[in-house]
Amino acid sequence: MNIGDASALSGVSAKMIRYYEQIGLIPQAARTASGYRNYADADIHMLRFIARSRDLGFPISEITGLLDLWRNTDRRSADVKALAQARVQDLRHKITHLADMADTLETLHMCPYGLKSLDLLKRQGYRVEDHHLTTRAEVDAFKEQHDVQTTPQTFIGDQRIGGYDDLRRHFGKTVRDKSATTYRPVIALFAMAAAMALATSWAAFGQLTTVAAAEWFVAFAMCLLALQKLKDVESFATMFLNYDLLAQRWVRYGYVYPFAEGLAGVLMVAGALMWLSIPVALFIGTIGAVSVYKAVYIDKREIKCACVGGDSNVPLGFVSLTENLMMIAMAIWMLIKVTMLGH
């Protein structure tokens, strides 16, 4: 067979076959009468053996020895085993070296809290001596020595302050309680919706305060709220079941809600298909307002709101009720507007 067929069957490129012949790794191929290389089945087996050896990481010098052993019918299995074991030891050494390099890269200013601690110390006027733990062994030894579970650790003089949160407390700064309820996500979302509405009004009319800006504010807020819920519909639907009256009777409503809210918001931004967006917004807004009012003001429950997604710590309360009332007001306003335009 020719070199192309030999390459296809062995998985070794024609260029590498010529190279192996050139350096003497394999014998020169027989030639046809017209001068073309002609390979036998034995050559294909040899090339496959070389390809497998290369895949395992054996260098050419060692493959030569392996081929000699392979060709030698009187070879001793101990010789093959010794060569293989030497290669295994070399691979283990490389694995250890690569693991140490990975640990070094991970600990070499790759920790975000280390960078934040360094920045905080410098902003407080401290001159910082940054001691890198360059291997996993060094990290483990440091933790054991100082009886700590995490790195980095900050020391001021001989006093160990601790991690980043401990450092903030040391300087009298607040440390956010990740489990505490907060309205911050809702405030940020409504602020962004207001900014987008004002920017759109300016682009469209050259004025900031317009009726359209108020309409866009509610519509943009609906879109942004829907986006937060759509990040994890399953989580939202689960939290929604805690208080929504319709979802408690028809579980699938929790999965439909984010899409309905997003659809109504997009259509209201465009001012299109009002016959669809108005009843959708009015329906989900009314159900939402009644559900929130009952849970908060009648049942006196203290639970989290799913309004900005299922992973939020926003408390169910006045803001949640306002969100639904805004949706209802927008639907009613659009209905009045459409009716007036119709006349």
Side-chain angles (χ1 to χ4, degrees):
M1 67 189 76
N2 60 33
I3 193 169
D5 294 334
S7 175
L9 291 172
S10 66
V12 180
S13 68
K15 181 179 179 180
M16 290 306 298
I17 293 174
R18 296 188 186 96
Y19 173 70
Y20 291 154
E21 290 182 3
Q22 180 183 344
I23 63 175
L25 184 61
I26 60 175
Q28 294 287 331
R31 298 277 180 166
T32 63
S34 55
Y36 292 102
R37 287 179 172 84
N38 187 27
Y39 295 91
D41 290 340
D43 297 320
I44 302 303
H45 290 307
M46 189 184 307
L47 289 169
R48 287 174 177 168
F49 181 86
I50 293 171
R52 285 196 298 270
S53 300
R54 293 293 287 168
D55 289 340
L56 291 172
F58 284 94
I60 294 295
S61 59
E62 292 184 12
I63 293 176
T64 301
L66 287 171
L67 282 173
D68 290 340
L69 289 172
W70 185 57
R71 296 190 191 102
N72 183 5
T73 57
D74 297 327
R75 65 184 178 272
R76 295 186 305 158
S77 59
D79 294 333
V80 179
K81 185 177 180 180
L83 190 59
Q85 286 182 334
R87 184 58 187 160
V88 168
Q89 287 298 111
D90 182 52
L91 288 173
R92 284 176 177 166
H93 175 73
K94 287 183 177 179
I95 289 171
T96 302
H97 180 64
L98 289 171
D100 287 342
M101 288 181 63
D103 287 340
T104 299
L105 290 174
E106 287 176 357
T107 56
L108 189 60
H109 275 321
M110 291 299 175
C111 174
Y113 289 103
L115 292 172
K116 291 170 74 173
S117 297
L118 187 64
D119 173 69
L120 179 57
L121 285 164
K122 288 181 177 178
R123 285 190 287 111
Q124 293 295 317
Y126 283 82
R127 184 175 61 84
V128 181
E129 293 182 11
D130 197 3
H131 298 280
H132 300 293
L133 303 176
T134 58
T135 66
R136 178 57 56 191
E138 288 184 5
V139 172
D140 293 339
F142 176 87
K143 289 179 179 179
E144 183 176 355
Q145 177 185 353
H146 298 283
D147 191 24
V148 295
Q149 298 296 318
T150 60
T151 58
Q153 293 287 316
T154 300
F155 292 78
I156 298 180
D158 295 329
Q159 179 187 4
R160 184 178 70 83
I161 305 301
Y164 176 67
D165 287 347
D166 298 316
L167 186 61
R168 287 188 62 87
R169 293 188 188 98
H170 178 78
F171 290 130
K173 298 183 179 295
T174 57
V175 176
R176 184 172 67 90
D177 182 358
K178 296 179 181 178
S179 61
T181 56
T182 175
Y183 285 109
R184 183 178 297 176
V186 178
I187 294 172
L189 187 146
F190 283 155
M192 180 57 68
M196 292 170 63
L198 293 174
T200 306
S201 177
W202 181 266
F205 307 113
Q207 296 180 351
L208 292 176
T209 54
T210 61
V211 174
E215 296 172 352
W216 283 325
F217 164 66
V218 177
F220 284 145
M222 290 172 63
C223 292
L224 293 174
L225 287 165
L227 179 62
Q228 294 298 311
K229 299 175 178 71
L230 288 170
K231 289 192 302 182
D232 188 349
V233 176
E234 187 69 38
S235 180
F236 162 77
T238 301
M239 186 180 287
F240 199 48
L241 284 168
N242 286 323
Y243 59 89
D244 190 84
L245 297 175
L246 180 56
Q248 289 171 355
R249 288 162 177 76
W250 180 45
V251 174
R252 301 308 299 175
Y253 177 63
Y255 295 89
V256 173
Y257 185 97
F259 296 94
E261 184 178 37
L263 173 65
V266 169
L267 292 178
M268 286 180 172
V269 170
L273 303 180
M274 289 296 142
W275 59 268
L276 177 59
S277 63
I278 291 173
V280 169
L282 192 60
F283 179 81
I284 63 177
T286 302
I287 296 295
V290 172
S291 299
V292 172
Y293 186 84
K294 180 179 183 298
V296 176
Y297 299 104
I298 297 177
D299 298 339
K300 307 294 184 181
R301 299 176 64 194
E302 295 184 359
I303 54 179
K304 295 177 182 178
C305 179
C307 53
V308 288
D311 59 348
S312 73
N313 288 328
V314 176
L316 189 70
F318 174 75
V319 173
S320 309
L321 181 61
T322 302
E323 170 200 344
N324 287 286
L325 292 176
M326 284 172 51
M327 204 180 308
I328 295 171
M330 180 68 168
I332 294 173
W333 166 249
M334 286 295 184
L335 180 61
I336 295 172
K337 187 176 178 181
V338 170
T339 304
M340 290 176 62
L341 290 174
H343 293 290

